[in-house]
Amino acid sequence: MDALAQAERSFLDRHPRYRNTTALDELRRSQYERLDRLGHRYLDYTGASLYASTQIQQHAQLLLAEVFGNPHSSSPTSALATRLVERARGAVHEFFNASPDEYIVVLTRNATGALKLVGESYPFDHASRLLLAFDNHNSVNGIREFARASRAAVTYAPLLLPDMRLDPEQLSASLGASGASTHKLFAYPAQSNFSGVQHSLDWIEIAHAHGWDVLLDAAAYVPTNMLDLSLAKPDFVSVSFYKMFGYPTGAGCLIARKAVVSKLRRPWFSGGTITVASIKGDRHYLQRGPEAFEDGTPDYLCAPAIEIGLTHIANIGYETIHARVESLTGWVLGQLGALRHGNGLAVVRIYGPLTTDARGGTVAFNFFDKDGRFVDHRMVEDRANDMNISLRTGCFCNPGGGEMALGISEAELSACFSGNPISFTLDDFRQCIDDKSTGAVRISFGLVSNFADAYHFMQFASRFVDKRAIEIQHSSQLFIRLD
Ligand SMILES: Cc1ncc(COP(=O)(O)O)c(C=O)c1O
């Protein structure tokens, strides 16, 4: 028996639920065969999921079978296109169990598009508040600029180390201490794209009880976890579909609760969003439904791929996807945690929970050399690239997660930024935050990950054992090599 087969046997002994997910191996063979044919070790499902060949075939067949015009008029080709968009909306309602009586589905280009719609339309004023989780993605953090422009108070809910979960005491206090505010928006990720932590969905009702509206960024959560909006009822949910099923890349959605949508104020109007606009009369009337938030012509040819993708996930079943991702994550967490240099020092520091309880399949960490110095994440990425391993490094558009995990203080950041009002590169940052890593390495499992992916990654990781990182100054740039 070769080393991989032997390792898989002991993995299966420890993670027996993985055996119930073998349908995914068949799926990988039949519909994702390019992965193994091209020898990729794909470990960036939090960046993007991958698509099955049948998704592309079904989409192409549908487009080739009909003639579609610009939607929203009564011509036969236009009516067909309108139907595509309405079907996509209906499929999203059904998939997330979001009753059309309660929620609208706005089709966007991605999660960022959904988040920007909320940010620019939320009625922030000088007496309102925006409360953000510390480990939000930048597309959520950016909402603070809309809030500040309206003089709303912006605060952050901190995380507790080492697990990087929201600090329950501080969050409860922040939610409770906002009495006389007008509009209050609390925005947090259902799953952190940095640490993989799944923040409790219970925060939604706790926030509601204190009069907050809740924006749940579900972009990193829904690829491997069911979000049932008949059970959890956030006011806004942001999703990118390519993160769930790989294709299409230009589609996401905002799912918004009707009760709260009525207080949103769009900052402009455009084609597609109005019933009537007049030049001489100087008035415009917005549509009443989701169309009021969909600027211009919707991507009607892409729309059917949304239903095809959602059906693909539903056919596989979240239970299967979740069981597989959880098993692989559990195994890698154990293996990485146990990796030691000959002198006993840990090779890896993992940021976030070390067990699979309330966490997803995203694992962020850094390698440390045998002297305990961190190994620059950019060098790790170069080495992974050489082995056809796709992973991520940096802070993954999640600066708060990175600053918490890497222990970068407010004082250090202020000192760095104060001398650099306009431009600031990653190299500038690295030199400023001396002796600390400015980023991490991230791997993530998803839909068709298998044990071989995890095993080959651990083979890669074990190459850092007993190595020393050496910095080499070359012209003005700093390079690192391992000895
Ligand atoms: C948690 C989270 N939110 C939002 C986004 C933004 O998604 P997109 O770039 O597709 O708009 C991402 C992307 O990585 C994410 O991981």
Side-chain angles (χ1 to χ4, degrees), residues 89-104:
R89 244 192 261 294
V92 176
H93 275 291
E94 198 175 319
F95 186 87
F96 290 104
N97 226 344
S99 161
D101 294 334
E102 203 173 359
Y103 283 99
I104 63 166

Side-chain angles (χ1 to χ4, degrees), residues 46-47 110-113 115 137 139-140 189 191-193 217-220 238 240 242-243 396 442:
T46 301
N110 44 34
T112 301
L115 293 160
H137 188 276
S139 297
V140 182
Q191 180 171 316
S192 167
N193 74 322
D217 177 15
S238 49
S240 272
Y242 70 89
K243 288 193 190 290
F396 330 119
R442 182 184 80 183

Side-chain angles (χ1 to χ4, degrees), residues 134-157:
F134 219 85
D135 60 344
N136 272 318
H137 188 276
N138 267 340
S139 297
V140 182
N141 288 324
I143 294 175
R144 74 186 187 198
E145 299 304 303
F146 292 112
R148 282 181 181 153
S150 300
R151 295 185 296 126
V154 178
T155 46
Y156 274 90

Side-chain angles (χ1 to χ4, degrees), residues 259-480:
V260 178
V261 166
S262 57
K263 70 160 128 169
L264 299 183
R265 300 279 172 264
R266 290 229 63 198
W268 82 321
F269 67 92
S270 67
T273 63
I274 40 108
T275 52
V276 173
S278 165
I279 307 307
K280 287 189 180 168
D282 198 20
R283 287 289 295 270
H284 72 273
Y285 295 87
L286 282 177
Q287 299 247 29
R288 298 201 134 251
E291 294 87 355
F293 295 88
E294 292 174 351
D295 295 334
T297 303
D299 195 344
Y300 55 95
L301 292 183
C302 152
I306 297 173
E307 183 178 358
I308 292 167
L310 291 173
T311 306
H312 182 58
I313 300 274
N315 286 344
I316 299 166
Y318 269 120
E319 241 176 71
T320 304
I321 300 169
H322 191 89
R324 172 159 291 225
V325 166
E326 188 175 77
S327 306
L328 294 173
T329 307
W331 187 77
V332 160
L333 286 171
Q335 297 286 312
L336 278 181
L339 215 53
R340 289 282 179 278
H341 293 291
N343 60 13
L345 285 181
V347 178
V348 166
R349 187 175 305 157
I350 296 171
Y351 306 117
L354 300 179
T355 71
T356 52
D357 290 342
R359 68 124 60 237
T362 302
V363 184
F365 56 90
N366 267 317
F367 287 107
F368 285 77
D369 76 358
K370 64 180 183 182
D371 297 329
R373 283 159 40 105
F374 74 87
V375 179
D376 190 287
H377 56 87
R378 290 169 300 177
M379 200 210 64
V380 177
E381 182 163 340
D382 285 347
R383 296 209 150 196
N385 295 345
D386 291 343
M387 291 180 66
N388 223 11
I389 294 175
S390 293
L391 45 69
R392 279 267 154 150
T393 67
C395 81
F396 330 119
C397 288
N398 189 326
E403 288 159 20
M404 284 296 293
L406 305 171
I408 303 173
S409 70
E410 206 173 319
E412 282 171 305
L413 289 164
S414 302
C416 287
F417 295 151
S418 62
N420 298 279
I422 296 171
S423 86
F424 197 51
T425 65
L426 186 59
D427 271 330
D428 295 335
F429 191 37
R430 195 172 171 277
Q431 273 165 23
C432 181
I433 306 286
D434 214 14
D435 275 345
K436 283 188 186 168
S437 179
T438 51
V441 182
R442 182 184 80 183
I443 60 165
S444 48
F445 296 107
L447 197 59
V448 286
S449 296
N450 64 12
F451 179 72
D453 292 333
Y455 177 81
H456 285 290
F457 167 71
M458 281 312 305
Q459 295 291 103
F460 167 73
S462 59
R463 292 179 163 211
F464 291 83
V465 172
D466 283 337
K467 292 289 189 312
R468 177 176 284 131
I470 297 178
E471 291 191 349
I472 311 159
Q473 188 85 35
H474 179 67
S475 62
S476 64
Q477 286 213 301
L478 209 52
F479 292 90
I480 292 175

